[in-house]
PDB file of all heavy atoms in Angstrom:
ATOM      1  N   GLN A 162       4.494   8.893   3.206  1.00 93.00           N
ATOM      2  CA  GLN A 162       4.715   9.678   4.419  1.00 93.00           C
ATOM      3  C   GLN A 162       4.135   8.915   5.606  1.00 93.00           C
ATOM      4  O   GLN A 162       3.126   8.216   5.492  1.00 93.00           O
ATOM      5  CB  GLN A 162       4.037  11.043   4.284  1.00 93.00           C
ATOM      6  CG  GLN A 162       4.117  11.940   5.499  1.00 93.00           C
ATOM      7  CD  GLN A 162       3.030  11.678   6.543  1.00 93.00           C
ATOM      8  OE1 GLN A 162       2.084  10.936   6.301  1.00 93.00           O
ATOM      9  NE2 GLN A 162       3.192  12.272   7.701  1.00 93.00           N
ATOM     10  N   MET A 172       1.919   9.501  -1.581  1.00 95.00           N
ATOM     11  CA  MET A 172       2.006  10.751  -2.339  1.00 95.00           C
ATOM     12  C   MET A 172       2.316  10.397  -3.797  1.00 95.00           C
ATOM     13  O   MET A 172       3.294   9.710  -4.071  1.00 95.00           O
ATOM     14  CB  MET A 172       3.110  11.650  -1.791  1.00 95.00           C
ATOM     15  CG  MET A 172       2.904  12.133  -0.373  1.00 95.00           C
ATOM     16  SD  MET A 172       4.263  13.217   0.154  1.00 95.00           S
ATOM     17  CE  MET A 172       3.717  13.692   1.786  1.00 95.00           C
ATOM     18  N   ASN A 199      -2.277  14.237   6.044  1.00 78.00           N
ATOM     19  CA  ASN A 199      -1.787  12.908   5.703  1.00 78.00           C
ATOM     20  C   ASN A 199      -2.698  11.812   6.250  1.00 78.00           C
ATOM     21  O   ASN A 199      -3.128  11.853   7.399  1.00 78.00           O
ATOM     22  CB  ASN A 199      -0.371  12.731   6.239  1.00 78.00           C
ATOM     23  CG  ASN A 199       0.601  13.675   5.563  1.00 78.00           C
ATOM     24  OD1 ASN A 199       0.674  13.718   4.343  1.00 78.00           O
ATOM     25  ND2 ASN A 199       1.324  14.463   6.338  1.00 78.00           N
ATOM     26  N   TYR A 303      23.484  17.937  12.240  1.00 93.00           N
ATOM     27  CA  TYR A 303      22.258  17.986  13.047  1.00 93.00           C
ATOM     28  C   TYR A 303      22.275  16.820  14.036  1.00 93.00           C
ATOM     29  O   TYR A 303      21.502  15.857  13.900  1.00 93.00           O
ATOM     30  CB  TYR A 303      21.018  17.922  12.149  1.00 93.00           C
ATOM     31  CG  TYR A 303      21.056  18.899  11.003  1.00 93.00           C
ATOM     32  CD1 TYR A 303      21.418  18.481   9.720  1.00 93.00           C
ATOM     33  CD2 TYR A 303      20.766  20.240  11.199  1.00 93.00           C
ATOM     34  CE1 TYR A 303      21.468  19.384   8.672  1.00 93.00           C
ATOM     35  CE2 TYR A 303      20.815  21.146  10.157  1.00 93.00           C
ATOM     36  CZ  TYR A 303      21.170  20.715   8.888  1.00 93.00           C
ATOM     37  OH  TYR A 303      21.219  21.605   7.852  1.00 93.00           O
ATOM     38  N   ASP A 305      21.152  16.390  16.970  1.00 90.00           N
ATOM     39  CA  ASP A 305      19.949  16.156  17.773  1.00 90.00           C
ATOM     40  C   ASP A 305      18.718  15.830  16.930  1.00 90.00           C
ATOM     41  O   ASP A 305      17.644  15.572  17.481  1.00 90.00           O
ATOM     42  CB  ASP A 305      19.646  17.387  18.639  1.00 90.00           C
ATOM     43  CG  ASP A 305      20.670  17.575  19.748  1.00 90.00           C
ATOM     44  OD1 ASP A 305      21.198  16.564  20.234  1.00 90.00           O
ATOM     45  OD2 ASP A 305      20.956  18.732  20.105  1.00 90.00           O
ATOM     46  N   TYR A 306      18.880  15.854  15.610  1.00 93.00           N
ATOM     47  CA  TYR A 306      17.746  15.636  14.718  1.00 93.00           C
ATOM     48  C   TYR A 306      17.252  14.191  14.840  1.00 93.00           C
ATOM     49  O   TYR A 306      17.978  13.240  14.588  1.00 93.00           O
ATOM     50  CB  TYR A 306      18.165  15.932  13.276  1.00 93.00           C
ATOM     51  CG  TYR A 306      17.106  15.671  12.234  1.00 93.00           C
ATOM     52  CD1 TYR A 306      15.825  16.186  12.360  1.00 93.00           C
ATOM     53  CD2 TYR A 306      17.398  14.911  11.097  1.00 93.00           C
ATOM     54  CE1 TYR A 306      14.859  15.965  11.396  1.00 93.00           C
ATOM     55  CE2 TYR A 306      16.444  14.689  10.114  1.00 93.00           C
ATOM     56  CZ  TYR A 306      15.175  15.212  10.273  1.00 93.00           C
ATOM     57  OH  TYR A 306      14.223  14.984   9.310  1.00 93.00           O
ATOM     58  N   GLY A 307      15.992  14.035  15.275  1.00 91.00           N
ATOM     59  CA  GLY A 307      15.396  12.710  15.394  1.00 91.00           C
ATOM     60  C   GLY A 307      15.658  12.006  16.707  1.00 91.00           C
ATOM     61  O   GLY A 307      15.149  10.903  16.921  1.00 91.00           O
ATOM     62  N   GLU A 374       6.004  13.906  20.381  1.00 93.00           N
ATOM     63  CA  GLU A 374       7.323  14.537  20.506  1.00 93.00           C
ATOM     64  C   GLU A 374       7.244  16.058  20.318  1.00 93.00           C
ATOM     65  O   GLU A 374       8.260  16.717  20.177  1.00 93.00           O
ATOM     66  CB  GLU A 374       8.312  13.919  19.514  1.00 93.00           C
ATOM     67  CG  GLU A 374       8.045  14.180  18.049  1.00 93.00           C
ATOM     68  CD  GLU A 374       9.221  13.767  17.164  1.00 93.00           C
ATOM     69  OE1 GLU A 374      10.203  13.214  17.693  1.00 93.00           O
ATOM     70  OE2 GLU A 374       9.151  14.026  15.947  1.00 93.00           O
ATOM     71  N   ARG A 705       2.663  21.914  -0.721  1.00 76.00           N
ATOM     72  CA  ARG A 705       3.175  21.138   0.390  1.00 76.00           C
ATOM     73  C   ARG A 705       3.480  19.667   0.062  1.00 76.00           C
ATOM     74  O   ARG A 705       4.542  19.167   0.432  1.00 76.00           O
ATOM     75  CB  ARG A 705       2.189  21.204   1.565  1.00 76.00           C
ATOM     76  CG  ARG A 705       2.620  20.372   2.752  1.00 76.00           C
ATOM     77  CD  ARG A 705       1.594  20.447   3.874  1.00 76.00           C
ATOM     78  NE  ARG A 705       1.956  19.571   4.977  1.00 76.00           N
ATOM     79  CZ  ARG A 705       1.641  18.285   5.032  1.00 76.00           C
ATOM     80  NH1 ARG A 705       0.969  17.732   4.044  1.00 76.00           N
ATOM     81  NH2 ARG A 705       2.001  17.540   6.062  1.00 76.00           N
ATOM     82  N   PRO A 706       2.581  18.904  -0.553  1.00 80.00           N
ATOM     83  CA  PRO A 706       2.815  17.458  -0.610  1.00 80.00           C
ATOM     84  C   PRO A 706       3.745  16.996  -1.732  1.00 80.00           C
ATOM     85  O   PRO A 706       3.631  15.864  -2.201  1.00 80.00           O
ATOM     86  CB  PRO A 706       1.408  16.902  -0.815  1.00 80.00           C
ATOM     87  CG  PRO A 706       0.711  17.946  -1.595  1.00 80.00           C
ATOM     88  CD  PRO A 706       1.297  19.266  -1.173  1.00 80.00           C
ATOM     89  N   VAL A 707       4.665  17.845  -2.181  1.00 92.00           N
ATOM     90  CA  VAL A 707       5.588  17.448  -3.249  1.00 92.00           C
ATOM     91  C   VAL A 707       6.870  16.921  -2.617  1.00 92.00           C
ATOM     92  O   VAL A 707       7.619  17.674  -1.997  1.00 92.00           O
ATOM     93  CB  VAL A 707       5.910  18.633  -4.179  1.00 92.00           C
ATOM     94  CG1 VAL A 707       6.839  18.187  -5.295  1.00 92.00           C
ATOM     95  CG2 VAL A 707       4.620  19.214  -4.757  1.00 92.00           C
ATOM     96  N   TRP A 734      17.665  16.538  -0.711  1.00 95.00           N
ATOM     97  CA  TRP A 734      17.260  17.555   0.264  1.00 95.00           C
ATOM     98  C   TRP A 734      15.890  18.132  -0.092  1.00 95.00           C
ATOM     99  O   TRP A 734      15.537  18.251  -1.270  1.00 95.00           O
ATOM    100  CB  TRP A 734      18.265  18.697   0.282  1.00 95.00           C
ATOM    101  CG  TRP A 734      19.264  18.641   1.388  1.00 95.00           C
ATOM    102  CD1 TRP A 734      20.516  18.081   1.359  1.00 95.00           C
ATOM    103  CD2 TRP A 734      19.112  19.185   2.705  1.00 95.00           C
ATOM    104  NE1 TRP A 734      21.148  18.236   2.568  1.00 95.00           N
ATOM    105  CE2 TRP A 734      20.303  18.920   3.420  1.00 95.00           C
ATOM    106  CE3 TRP A 734      18.080  19.869   3.351  1.00 95.00           C
ATOM    107  CZ2 TRP A 734      20.501  19.311   4.735  1.00 95.00           C
ATOM    108  CZ3 TRP A 734      18.263  20.263   4.655  1.00 95.00           C
ATOM    109  CH2 TRP A 734      19.456  19.985   5.349  1.00 95.00           C
ATOM    110  N   LYS A 735      15.145  18.517   0.936  1.00 93.00           N
ATOM    111  CA  LYS A 735      13.962  19.360   0.774  1.00 93.00           C
ATOM    112  C   LYS A 735      14.192  20.580   1.656  1.00 93.00           C
ATOM    113  O   LYS A 735      14.054  20.526   2.887  1.00 93.00           O
ATOM    114  CB  LYS A 735      12.696  18.610   1.214  1.00 93.00           C
ATOM    115  CG  LYS A 735      11.406  19.361   0.907  1.00 93.00           C
ATOM    116  CD  LYS A 735      11.055  19.315  -0.571  1.00 93.00           C
ATOM    117  CE  LYS A 735       9.666  19.880  -0.835  1.00 93.00           C
ATOM    118  NZ  LYS A 735       9.293  19.852  -2.252  1.00 93.00           N
ATOM    119  N   GLN A 736      14.596  21.674   1.018  1.00 92.00           N
ATOM    120  CA  GLN A 736      14.951  22.874   1.765  1.00 92.00           C
ATOM    121  C   GLN A 736      13.694  23.513   2.379  1.00 92.00           C
ATOM    122  O   GLN A 736      12.594  23.403   1.840  1.00 92.00           O
ATOM    123  CB  GLN A 736      15.649  23.877   0.849  1.00 92.00           C
ATOM    124  CG  GLN A 736      16.933  23.357   0.219  1.00 92.00           C
ATOM    125  CD  GLN A 736      18.068  23.220   1.212  1.00 92.00           C
ATOM    126  OE1 GLN A 736      18.018  23.807   2.293  1.00 92.00           O
ATOM    127  NE2 GLN A 736      19.099  22.459   0.857  1.00 92.00           N
ATOM    128  N   LEU A 737      13.897  24.211   3.497  1.00 87.00           N
ATOM    129  CA  LEU A 737      12.781  24.813   4.208  1.00 87.00           C
ATOM    130  C   LEU A 737      12.042  25.833   3.349  1.00 87.00           C
ATOM    131  O   LEU A 737      10.817  25.951   3.429  1.00 87.00           O
ATOM    132  CB  LEU A 737      13.280  25.473   5.503  1.00 87.00           C
ATOM    133  CG  LEU A 737      12.221  25.694   6.580  1.00 87.00           C
ATOM    134  CD1 LEU A 737      11.682  24.365   7.087  1.00 87.00           C
ATOM    135  CD2 LEU A 737      12.784  26.507   7.739  1.00 87.00           C
ATOM    136  N   HIS A 738      12.767  26.539   2.490  1.00 86.00           N
ATOM    137  CA  HIS A 738      12.097  27.544   1.651  1.00 86.00           C
ATOM    138  C   HIS A 738      11.259  26.906   0.549  1.00 86.00           C
ATOM    139  O   HIS A 738      10.503  27.593  -0.135  1.00 86.00           O
ATOM    140  CB  HIS A 738      13.121  28.517   1.053  1.00 86.00           C
ATOM    141  CG  HIS A 738      14.164  27.849   0.204  1.00 86.00           C
ATOM    142  ND1 HIS A 738      13.910  27.371  -1.058  1.00 86.00           N
ATOM    143  CD2 HIS A 738      15.476  27.580   0.455  1.00 86.00           C
ATOM    144  CE1 HIS A 738      15.009  26.835  -1.564  1.00 86.00           C
ATOM    145  NE2 HIS A 738      15.980  26.949  -0.675  1.00 86.00           N
ATOM    146  N   ASP A 739      11.381  25.570   0.371  1.00 87.00           N
ATOM    147  CA  ASP A 739      10.548  24.860  -0.601  1.00 87.00           C
ATOM    148  C   ASP A 739       9.312  24.249   0.038  1.00 87.00           C
ATOM    149  O   ASP A 739       8.580  23.507  -0.622  1.00 87.00           O
ATOM    150  CB  ASP A 739      11.355  23.746  -1.274  1.00 87.00           C
ATOM    151  CG  ASP A 739      12.421  24.296  -2.207  1.00 87.00           C
ATOM    152  OD1 ASP A 739      12.187  25.376  -2.786  1.00 87.00           O
ATOM    153  OD2 ASP A 739      13.474  23.660  -2.337  1.00 87.00           O
ATOM    154  N   MET A 740       9.091  24.553   1.336  1.00 84.00           N
ATOM    155  CA  MET A 740       7.959  23.973   2.048  1.00 84.00           C
ATOM    156  C   MET A 740       7.149  25.078   2.723  1.00 84.00           C
ATOM    157  O   MET A 740       7.735  25.953   3.360  1.00 84.00           O
ATOM    158  CB  MET A 740       8.443  22.989   3.118  1.00 84.00           C
ATOM    159  CG  MET A 740       9.244  21.823   2.571  1.00 84.00           C
ATOM    160  SD  MET A 740       9.731  20.684   3.894  1.00 84.00           S
ATOM    161  CE  MET A 740      10.960  21.674   4.746  1.00 84.00           C
ATOM    162  N   PRO A 741       5.816  25.038   2.626  1.00 73.00           N
ATOM    163  CA  PRO A 741       4.985  25.982   3.382  1.00 73.00           C
ATOM    164  C   PRO A 741       4.813  25.496   4.808  1.00 73.00           C
ATOM    165  O   PRO A 741       3.780  24.975   5.197  1.00 73.00           O
ATOM    166  CB  PRO A 741       3.657  25.965   2.616  1.00 73.00           C
ATOM    167  CG  PRO A 741       3.590  24.588   2.045  1.00 73.00           C
ATOM    168  CD  PRO A 741       5.003  24.179   1.745  1.00 73.00           C
ATOM    169  N   VAL A 742       5.863  25.622   5.631  1.00 58.00           N
ATOM    170  CA  VAL A 742       5.863  25.072   6.982  1.00 58.00           C
ATOM    171  C   VAL A 742       4.882  25.826   7.855  1.00 58.00           C
ATOM    172  O   VAL A 742       4.816  27.048   7.813  1.00 58.00           O
ATOM    173  CB  VAL A 742       7.275  25.133   7.596  1.00 58.00           C
ATOM    174  CG1 VAL A 742       7.264  24.602   9.016  1.00 58.00           C
ATOM    175  CG2 VAL A 742       8.242  24.324   6.739  1.00 58.00           C
ATOM    176  N   ALA A 743       4.130  25.067   8.671  1.00 48.00           N
ATOM    177  CA  ALA A 743       3.156  25.698   9.574  1.00 48.00           C
ATOM    178  C   ALA A 743       3.048  24.878  10.843  1.00 48.00           C
ATOM    179  O   ALA A 743       3.112  23.661  10.824  1.00 48.00           O
ATOM    180  CB  ALA A 743       1.777  25.799   8.903  1.00 48.00           C
ATOM    181  N   GLY A 744       2.897  25.575  11.950  1.00 42.00           N
ATOM    182  CA  GLY A 744       2.574  24.922  13.208  1.00 42.00           C
ATOM    183  C   GLY A 744       3.603  23.916  13.647  1.00 42.00           C
ATOM    184  O   GLY A 744       4.805  24.090  13.538  1.00 42.00           O
ATOM    185  N   GLY A 745       3.097  22.779  14.164  1.00 42.00           N
ATOM    186  CA  GLY A 745       3.939  21.763  14.756  1.00 42.00           C
ATOM    187  C   GLY A 745       4.818  21.030  13.772  1.00 42.00           C
ATOM    188  O   GLY A 745       5.636  20.208  14.173  1.00 42.00           O
ATOM    189  N   GLU A 746       4.644  21.285  12.444  1.00 44.00           N
ATOM    190  CA  GLU A 746       5.496  20.605  11.483  1.00 44.00           C
ATOM    191  C   GLU A 746       6.971  20.917  11.709  1.00 44.00           C
ATOM    192  O   GLU A 746       7.843  20.133  11.383  1.00 44.00           O
ATOM    193  CB  GLU A 746       5.102  21.010  10.057  1.00 44.00           C
ATOM    194  CG  GLU A 746       3.761  20.473   9.603  1.00 44.00           C
ATOM    195  CD  GLU A 746       3.454  20.905   8.179  1.00 44.00           C
ATOM    196  OE1 GLU A 746       4.123  21.823   7.692  1.00 44.00           O
ATOM    197  OE2 GLU A 746       2.559  20.323   7.569  1.00 44.00           O
ATOM    198  N   VAL A 747       7.276  22.093  12.262  1.00 47.00           N
ATOM    199  CA  VAL A 747       8.657  22.519  12.407  1.00 47.00           C
ATOM    200  C   VAL A 747       9.451  21.517  13.221  1.00 47.00           C
ATOM    201  O   VAL A 747      10.635  21.284  12.973  1.00 47.00           O
ATOM    202  CB  VAL A 747       8.724  23.919  13.062  1.00 47.00           C
ATOM    203  CG1 VAL A 747      10.166  24.325  13.312  1.00 47.00           C
ATOM    204  CG2 VAL A 747       8.044  24.939  12.164  1.00 47.00           C
ATOM    205  N   THR A 748       8.836  20.897  14.226  1.00 56.00           N
ATOM    206  CA  THR A 748       9.555  19.969  15.082  1.00 56.00           C
ATOM    207  C   THR A 748      10.017  18.735  14.315  1.00 56.00           C
ATOM    208  O   THR A 748      10.898  18.023  14.782  1.00 56.00           O
ATOM    209  CB  THR A 748       8.670  19.530  16.258  1.00 56.00           C
ATOM    210  OG1 THR A 748       7.503  18.874  15.744  1.00 56.00           O
ATOM    211  CG2 THR A 748       8.254  20.725  17.095  1.00 56.00           C
ATOM    212  N   ALA A 749       9.420  18.444  13.175  1.00 71.00           N
ATOM    213  CA  ALA A 749       9.801  17.265  12.411  1.00 71.00           C
ATOM    214  C   ALA A 749      10.983  17.535  11.482  1.00 71.00           C
ATOM    215  O   ALA A 749      11.496  16.607  10.871  1.00 71.00           O
ATOM    216  CB  ALA A 749       8.612  16.769  11.592  1.00 71.00           C
ATOM    217  N   TYR A 750      11.421  18.798  11.357  1.00 84.00           N
ATOM    218  CA  TYR A 750      12.471  19.163  10.417  1.00 84.00           C
ATOM    219  C   TYR A 750      13.674  19.745  11.153  1.00 84.00           C
ATOM    220  O   TYR A 750      13.608  20.096  12.326  1.00 84.00           O
ATOM    221  CB  TYR A 750      11.954  20.209   9.419  1.00 84.00           C
ATOM    222  CG  TYR A 750      10.693  19.837   8.686  1.00 84.00           C
ATOM    223  CD1 TYR A 750       9.718  20.798   8.399  1.00 84.00           C
ATOM    224  CD2 TYR A 750      10.468  18.529   8.280  1.00 84.00           C
ATOM    225  CE1 TYR A 750       8.564  20.460   7.716  1.00 84.00           C
ATOM    226  CE2 TYR A 750       9.316  18.190   7.599  1.00 84.00           C
ATOM    227  CZ  TYR A 750       8.365  19.148   7.321  1.00 84.00           C
ATOM    228  OH  TYR A 750       7.224  18.810   6.651  1.00 84.00           O
ATOM    229  N   THR A 751      14.769  19.856  10.420  1.00 90.00           N
ATOM    230  CA  THR A 751      15.905  20.629  10.910  1.00 90.00           C
ATOM    231  C   THR A 751      15.651  22.105  10.601  1.00 90.00           C
ATOM    232  O   THR A 751      14.715  22.442   9.863  1.00 90.00           O
ATOM    233  CB  THR A 751      17.202  20.184  10.225  1.00 90.00           C
ATOM    234  OG1 THR A 751      17.196  20.661   8.868  1.00 90.00           O
ATOM    235  CG2 THR A 751      17.335  18.664  10.216  1.00 90.00           C
ATOM    236  N   PRO A 752      16.477  23.014  11.124  1.00 89.00           N
ATOM    237  CA  PRO A 752      16.295  24.441  10.794  1.00 89.00           C
ATOM    238  C   PRO A 752      16.416  24.737   9.307  1.00 89.00           C
ATOM    239  O   PRO A 752      15.965  25.788   8.849  1.00 89.00           O
ATOM    240  CB  PRO A 752      17.409  25.128  11.588  1.00 89.00           C
ATOM    241  CG  PRO A 752      17.705  24.193  12.712  1.00 89.00           C
ATOM    242  CD  PRO A 752      17.506  22.824  12.151  1.00 89.00           C
ATOM    243  N   ASP A 753      17.023  23.812   8.545  1.00 92.00           N
ATOM    244  CA  ASP A 753      17.211  24.025   7.115  1.00 92.00           C
ATOM    245  C   ASP A 753      16.267  23.207   6.249  1.00 92.00           C
ATOM    246  O   ASP A 753      16.301  23.320   5.021  1.00 92.00           O
ATOM    247  CB  ASP A 753      18.659  23.690   6.731  1.00 92.00           C
ATOM    248  CG  ASP A 753      19.667  24.538   7.488  1.00 92.00           C
ATOM    249  OD1 ASP A 753      19.477  25.763   7.531  1.00 92.00           O
ATOM    250  OD2 ASP A 753      20.614  23.962   8.056  1.00 92.00           O
ATOM    251  N   GLY A 754      15.449  22.356   6.865  1.00 92.00           N
ATOM    252  CA  GLY A 754      14.541  21.519   6.099  1.00 92.00           C
ATOM    253  C   GLY A 754      14.765  20.049   6.389  1.00 92.00           C
ATOM    254  O   GLY A 754      15.186  19.659   7.483  1.00 92.00           O
ATOM    255  N   VAL A 755      14.496  19.203   5.396  1.00 93.00           N
ATOM    256  CA  VAL A 755      14.649  17.753   5.542  1.00 93.00           C
ATOM    257  C   VAL A 755      15.928  17.325   4.824  1.00 93.00           C
ATOM    258  O   VAL A 755      16.033  17.467   3.605  1.00 93.00           O
ATOM    259  CB  VAL A 755      13.441  17.007   4.948  1.00 93.00           C
ATOM    260  CG1 VAL A 755      13.590  15.507   5.154  1.00 93.00           C
ATOM    261  CG2 VAL A 755      12.150  17.497   5.599  1.00 93.00           C
ATOM    262  N   PRO A 756      16.919  16.783   5.561  1.00 95.00           N
ATOM    263  CA  PRO A 756      18.196  16.418   4.935  1.00 95.00           C
ATOM    264  C   PRO A 756      18.047  15.282   3.932  1.00 95.00           C
ATOM    265  O   PRO A 756      17.125  14.466   4.011  1.00 95.00           O
ATOM    266  CB  PRO A 756      19.059  15.984   6.134  1.00 95.00           C
ATOM    267  CG  PRO A 756      18.403  16.579   7.331  1.00 95.00           C
ATOM    268  CD  PRO A 756      16.940  16.628   7.021  1.00 95.00           C
ATOM    269  N   HIS A 786      20.623   7.265  10.424  1.00 97.00           N
ATOM    270  CA  HIS A 786      19.369   7.887  10.839  1.00 97.00           C
ATOM    271  C   HIS A 786      18.842   8.770   9.718  1.00 97.00           C
ATOM    272  O   HIS A 786      19.582   9.572   9.136  1.00 97.00           O
ATOM    273  CB  HIS A 786      19.557   8.745  12.094  1.00 97.00           C
ATOM    274  CG  HIS A 786      18.313   9.522  12.445  1.00 97.00           C
ATOM    275  ND1 HIS A 786      18.044  10.783  11.935  1.00 97.00           N
ATOM    276  CD2 HIS A 786      17.243   9.185  13.212  1.00 97.00           C
ATOM    277  CE1 HIS A 786      16.880  11.190  12.379  1.00 97.00           C
ATOM    278  NE2 HIS A 786      16.374  10.248  13.164  1.00 97.00           N
ATOM    279  N   ARG A 788      14.824  10.603   8.199  1.00 95.00           N
ATOM    280  CA  ARG A 788      13.379  10.798   8.335  1.00 95.00           C
ATOM    281  C   ARG A 788      12.855  11.274   6.992  1.00 95.00           C
ATOM    282  O   ARG A 788      13.154  12.390   6.567  1.00 95.00           O
ATOM    283  CB  ARG A 788      13.070  11.809   9.438  1.00 95.00           C
ATOM    284  CG  ARG A 788      11.586  12.047   9.664  1.00 95.00           C
ATOM    285  CD  ARG A 788      11.333  12.879  10.913  1.00 95.00           C
ATOM    286  NE  ARG A 788      11.611  12.126  12.140  1.00 95.00           N
ATOM    287  CZ  ARG A 788      11.252  12.524  13.358  1.00 95.00           C
ATOM    288  NH1 ARG A 788      10.605  13.670  13.509  1.00 95.00           N
ATOM    289  NH2 ARG A 788      11.535  11.791  14.415  1.00 95.00           N
ATOM    290  N   PRO A 789      12.062  10.435   6.280  1.00 94.00           N
ATOM    291  CA  PRO A 789      11.547  10.834   4.974  1.00 94.00           C
ATOM    292  C   PRO A 789      10.731  12.114   5.063  1.00 94.00           C
ATOM    293  O   PRO A 789      10.125  12.435   6.103  1.00 94.00           O
ATOM    294  CB  PRO A 789      10.666   9.647   4.561  1.00 94.00           C
ATOM    295  CG  PRO A 789      11.240   8.489   5.310  1.00 94.00           C
ATOM    296  CD  PRO A 789      11.693   9.053   6.621  1.00 94.00           C
ATOM    297  N   TYR A 790      10.713  12.855   3.970  1.00 92.00           N
ATOM    298  CA  TYR A 790      10.005  14.130   3.912  1.00 92.00           C
ATOM    299  C   TYR A 790       8.555  13.978   4.378  1.00 92.00           C
ATOM    300  O   TYR A 790       7.845  13.050   3.985  1.00 92.00           O
ATOM    301  CB  TYR A 790      10.025  14.672   2.483  1.00 92.00           C
ATOM    302  CG  TYR A 790       9.056  15.809   2.258  1.00 92.00           C
ATOM    303  CD1 TYR A 790       9.242  17.028   2.887  1.00 92.00           C
ATOM    304  CD2 TYR A 790       7.935  15.647   1.440  1.00 92.00           C
ATOM    305  CE1 TYR A 790       8.343  18.074   2.705  1.00 92.00           C
ATOM    306  CE2 TYR A 790       7.036  16.681   1.243  1.00 92.00           C
ATOM    307  CZ  TYR A 790       7.249  17.889   1.883  1.00 92.00           C
ATOM    308  OH  TYR A 790       6.357  18.911   1.715  1.00 92.00           O
ATOM    309  N   GLY A 791       8.115  14.917   5.214  1.00 89.00           N
ATOM    310  CA  GLY A 791       6.737  14.953   5.675  1.00 89.00           C
ATOM    311  C   GLY A 791       6.431  14.022   6.829  1.00 89.00           C
ATOM    312  O   GLY A 791       5.347  14.093   7.403  1.00 89.00           O
ATOM    313  N   SER A 792       7.373  13.133   7.170  1.00 92.00           N
ATOM    314  CA  SER A 792       7.093  12.132   8.194  1.00 92.00           C
ATOM    315  C   SER A 792       7.353  12.684   9.593  1.00 92.00           C
ATOM    316  O   SER A 792       8.253  13.503   9.801  1.00 92.00           O
ATOM    317  CB  SER A 792       7.942  10.878   7.968  1.00 92.00           C
ATOM    318  OG  SER A 792       7.560  10.223   6.777  1.00 92.00           O
ATOM    319  N   GLY A 793       6.573  12.180  10.550  1.00 92.00           N
ATOM    320  CA  GLY A 793       6.719  12.588  11.933  1.00 92.00           C
ATOM    321  C   GLY A 793       7.446  11.570  12.774  1.00 92.00           C
ATOM    322  O   GLY A 793       7.538  11.725  13.991  1.00 92.00           O
ATOM    323  N   ILE A 794       7.954  10.515  12.155  1.00 95.00           N
ATOM    324  CA  ILE A 794       8.708   9.485  12.853  1.00 95.00           C
ATOM    325  C   ILE A 794       9.880   9.077  11.973  1.00 95.00           C
ATOM    326  O   ILE A 794       9.771   9.053  10.733  1.00 95.00           O
ATOM    327  CB  ILE A 794       7.817   8.275  13.195  1.00 95.00           C
ATOM    328  CG1 ILE A 794       8.553   7.291  14.120  1.00 95.00           C
ATOM    329  CG2 ILE A 794       7.304   7.583  11.937  1.00 95.00           C
ATOM    330  CD1 ILE A 794       7.636   6.232  14.720  1.00 95.00           C
TER     331      ILE A 794
END
Side-chain angles (χ1 to χ4, degrees):
Q162 177 275 350
M172 296 181 177
N199 295 307
Y303 311 100
D305 290 328
Y306 177 51
E374 67 169 4
R705 178 181 176 274
V707 181
W734 261 93
K735 187 75 171 180
Q736 300 289 342
L737 201 65
H738 59 74
D739 290 329
M740 300 182 289
V742 178
E746 290 181 345
V747 176
T748 61
Y750 306 143
T751 73
D753 301 312
V755 182
H786 173 272
R788 181 171 289 193
Y790 167 67
S792 293
I794 189 168

